[in-house]
Structure formats: structure tokens, C-alpha cells
Amino acid sequence: MRTTTGWRATGPMTLRRTSLERRDLRPDDIAVQVDYCGVCHSDLHALHDHGQHPKAPLVPGHEFTGVVTGTGSEVTAFSVGDPVAVGNIVDSCGVCAMCEVGQENFCQSFPTLTYGGTDRQDGSITLGGYSREYVVRDTFAYPLPSNLDPASAAPLMCAGVTVWEPLRSLGVGPGSRVAVAGLGGLGHLAVKMAVALGATTTVISRTRDKRDDARRLGAHDLIDSTDTQQTAAARDTFDVVIDTISAPHDLAPYLKMVAMDGTLSLVGYLGPVTVEAMDLLVGRKKLSSAGSGGRRATAEMLRFCADNGIAADIEVLPSSQVDTALDRLRRNDVRYRFVLDMSDLD
């Protein structure tokens, strides 16, 4: 076994620096020195759930960048010293219908998650990127383009690909009218990507003071979701609404802003929702969702971001301040993604 250092959950919303074990390299594995790891809302949920029902070891973190420090005997795509990025999926069955079309994120036997997943070979629980080293199958690591900053690229591997997937699958491009509901970790990247794809892009937010931020990110307008006149004026306007709001909320106001034959795509809150059929019927509107991305889409997303200068707006903290990052994230006190610098684990 390989030994590294990381932040492991010891109770409700409590992490402690400790020694961790990684598997010895399999023939198709690479070892990655984790340099930067994003802090995701999923980490908050996992820590909360772990505090309620601690069943297995938990080390969060599923969007990170780093450098290859070792390769298995059959690895040809990477060499020691290569910069790489890893997202929230580290394996899949590879043979089901979803995997065969490059949608490993929808693997019918469920993909192996970067943390809290079950290794498909030895049954161990995967431990995430809040650590100095990670061992991963080479096909689930991605070359990090040289013109992407490693720190601000880390959130692309979860937040970025989560919004990229619906934008691409729904055909967003020049002439599209896109609205992004919620301007947070996912939302600000959705705005950047939609604008770069050529769409006329609007932000929907209850926070009026984000108007300047929305403009800076490339949005053409901001609709105050608490202003009934503004929301009424936007009725039947948008071909695609990307809903990145992470808390439970009423979908009706957002469906009303979807144009005829348009789509509301939920990528923030993935719990139970209630929808009035008439809100879909009037205008033949569609309700969809998306989550993460397969290998093909993830690689495409990284190339697109490199070509268009897209990365996350981040605040970097040393990993020793992970509790601060989580507390502030819980209070939505970040614009727009925390990234942990893992070098203090040396």
C-alpha cells in the first residue's frame, strides 16, 4: 500500500488531518500528487450525511488537479511529471449501453465515485481528493491543458462538466437564448460557457447586487427573481434554462420563462420536485436534468475551456483552512468556488 496524508471526517462536519492508504499501482493506474482540490456542495452533503450515519471512512474532494508521480506498467498516455485533472468519476463497468456511448456518468451498474464509491476490483471505499496523493485508472484522468491555471481549472472537473453536459446536449450555440438560474459555483461557469458557445445569456438571481458580476462574466442581463414584473416580462423567452440552485425551490417560475419547445434543466438540486403538468403542457416545455459527464464530454469540456480562456473564479485557501471553506460555503460566502491548496500536507 502507498501512504499519503489527507483530511478525513471524524464526525458531523469535522475533518482531521491523518495518514491515508492508497492502493499499490495496478497496471492501468497512475499516481497523482494532488495540488489543488475544489470544495463542492456535494462535500457538504456528504459530511452532513456521514455525521448522521457514519458507515465508512470519508475523505471528500472530487475535482482536483495535480501532477503524475507514478505510472502502472501498461500506462502509455501519461508520464511522470504530466499535469492532469481528475473529476468525480474514477471508473465504470465499461460495457453497458451507457458506457459504450461514452456516458460513463450514467453507467447502468453505477459509476465508481471519486470518494464514497466502491472500488470495482477490491471492494474498498474510495477516498477523495482532500489529500496529497490519489491513485486512479489512467482512462479517468485527463491531460490538463498548459494554458489552464491548475487552481482555477480544478472546479471544471465537477462544476464545469456538470453544466457543460446540458449545454451541449441541448444544442446551445449562436442564436440560442439561455438563462442561468443561480449565480454560484455552477452558475458562473454556465454563464461563461453559454456566452462562449455564442448564446444570448441571462442570469436569474434573487441577489440584485450580482448584476455587475453577471455582466463581468459575459451575461447580457440579470432578472431579479423576486421582481414579479421582471419575471412576467421574461415569460416564454428562453430556449434553455439551466437551474443551478442547490436548495429545494418552486420550479414553476422558471418553467414559465422557458420558450415553446424549450427545456428547463435541473443540475443544482437533485432531490424530489413537484411539477404542475400544465406548466409543461402550455408551450410543450420539457423538464430535464444532467449530472457530471462521461469521458468524452469531460475531455471536450477541457479543450473548450482551454481554447476560450474559461476557468472558475476562485478563492484559494491552504487545506488547513478546510473547515473555514466549508463553513463559508454553507453560508454562500464565496464568489464563486473555494479551492484548497494541498501543498501544506507535505
Side-chain angles (χ1 to χ4, degrees), residues 179-261:
V180 177
L183 193 60
L186 275 70
H188 88 287
L189 286 170
V191 171
K192 291 185 179 187
M193 291 177 179
V195 170
L197 286 166
T200 300
T201 306
T202 299
V203 169
I204 306 170
S205 176
R206 64 182 180 182
T207 308
R208 298 182 186 184
D209 66 2
K210 287 188 176 180
R211 185 177 299 276
D212 289 342
D213 262 13
R215 298 278 190 182
R216 176 182 59 80
L217 294 167
H220 300 84
D221 197 7
L222 181 142
I223 294 172
D224 179 354
S225 60
T226 68
D227 187 320
T228 55
Q229 288 187 329
Q230 289 187 34
T231 56
R235 182 166 181 169
D236 302 326
T237 295
F238 301 107
D239 303 304
V240 174
V241 176
I242 305 293
D243 184 344
T244 72
I245 301 167
S246 61
H249 58 284
D250 183 9
L251 302 187
Y254 303 100
L255 277 169
K256 285 181 171 60
M257 287 187 265
V258 174
M260 187 170 73
D261 292 322

Side-chain angles (χ1 to χ4, degrees), residues 6-286:
W7 296 96
R8 179 173 171 172
T10 57
M13 304 306 297
T14 303
L15 292 162
R16 179 172 63 87
R17 176 173 170 156
T18 189
S19 178
L20 305 174
E21 287 190 341
R22 299 292 188 191
R23 65 177 181 258
D24 290 327
L25 297 186
R26 297 167 183 159
D28 60 350
D29 277 343
I30 63 172
V32 178
Q33 173 185 281
V34 181
D35 292 325
Y36 297 100
C37 185
V39 180
C40 179
H41 265 101
S42 298
D43 302 340
L44 283 176
H45 298 319
L47 284 163
H48 178 268
D49 291 345
H50 181 79
Q52 301 295 317
H53 308 286
K55 297 178 181 178
L58 173 64
V59 175
H62 60 197
E63 49 179 39
F64 60 87
T65 58
V67 176
V68 176
T69 56
T71 61
S73 59
E74 297 177 1
V75 174
T76 59
F78 296 102
S79 300
V80 171
D82 286 348
V84 293
V86 177
N88 56 3
I89 297 171
V90 293
D91 206 355
S92 72
C93 78
V95 296
C96 72
M98 290 296 184
C99 288
E100 286 184 346
V101 297
Q103 295 285 178
E104 294 85 359
N105 52 321
F106 303 140
C107 176
Q108 291 174 352
S109 62
F110 203 78
T112 302
L113 302 181
T114 309
Y115 70 84
T118 302
D119 184 88
R120 306 183 95 84
Q121 291 193 36
D122 63 20
S124 61
I125 301 301
T126 55
L127 306 177
Y130 287 12
S131 62
R132 192 52 162 153
E133 183 180 82
Y134 197 93
V135 174
V136 60
R137 276 189 71 189
D138 61 341
T139 51
F140 286 85
Y142 304 85
L144 182 67
S146 59
N147 61 331
L148 285 180
D149 170 67
S152 54
L156 296 177
M157 301 307 296
C158 175
V161 73
T162 294
V163 295
W164 175 254
E165 175 101 350
L167 288 170
R168 293 299 283 158
S169 66
L170 295 172
V172 169
S176 298
R177 298 164 298 171
V178 172
V180 177
L183 193 60
L186 275 70
H188 88 287
L189 286 170
V191 171
K192 291 185 179 187
M193 291 177 179
V195 170
L197 286 166
T200 300
T201 306
T202 299
V203 169
I204 306 170
S205 176
R206 64 182 180 182
T207 308
R208 298 182 186 184
D209 66 2
K210 287 188 176 180
R211 185 177 299 276
D212 289 342
D213 262 13
R215 298 278 190 182
R216 176 182 59 80
L217 294 167
H220 300 84
D221 197 7
L222 181 142
I223 294 172
D224 179 354
S225 60
T226 68
D227 187 320
T228 55
Q229 288 187 329
Q230 289 187 34
T231 56
R235 182 166 181 169
D236 302 326
T237 295
F238 301 107
D239 303 304
V240 174
V241 176
I242 305 293
D243 184 344
T244 72
I245 301 167
S246 61
H249 58 284
D250 183 9
L251 302 187
Y254 303 100
L255 277 169
K256 285 181 171 60
M257 287 187 265
V258 174
M260 187 170 73
D261 292 322
T263 302
L264 171 64
S265 180
L266 304 179
V267 298
Y269 178 68
L270 301 181
V273 298
T274 300
V275 178
E276 293 291 338
M278 288 297 293
D279 288 335
L280 297 173
L281 183 153
V282 179
R284 292 194 302 259
K285 299 176 182 182
K286 306 175 187 70

Side-chain angles (χ1 to χ4, degrees), residues 7 35-39 130 151 314-329 331 333-334 337-345:
W7 296 96
D35 292 325
Y36 297 100
C37 185
V39 180
Y130 287 12
I314 61 172
E315 182 176 340
V316 179
L317 295 175
S319 76
S320 59
Q321 294 185 28
V322 61
D323 289 341
T324 298
L326 290 166
D327 179 62
R328 287 181 54 194
L329 177 60
R331 294 184 281 112
D333 179 24
V334 57
R337 200 74 159 182
F338 282 118
V339 171
L340 301 177
D341 181 344
M342 313 308 295
S343 62
D344 62 353
L345 291 177

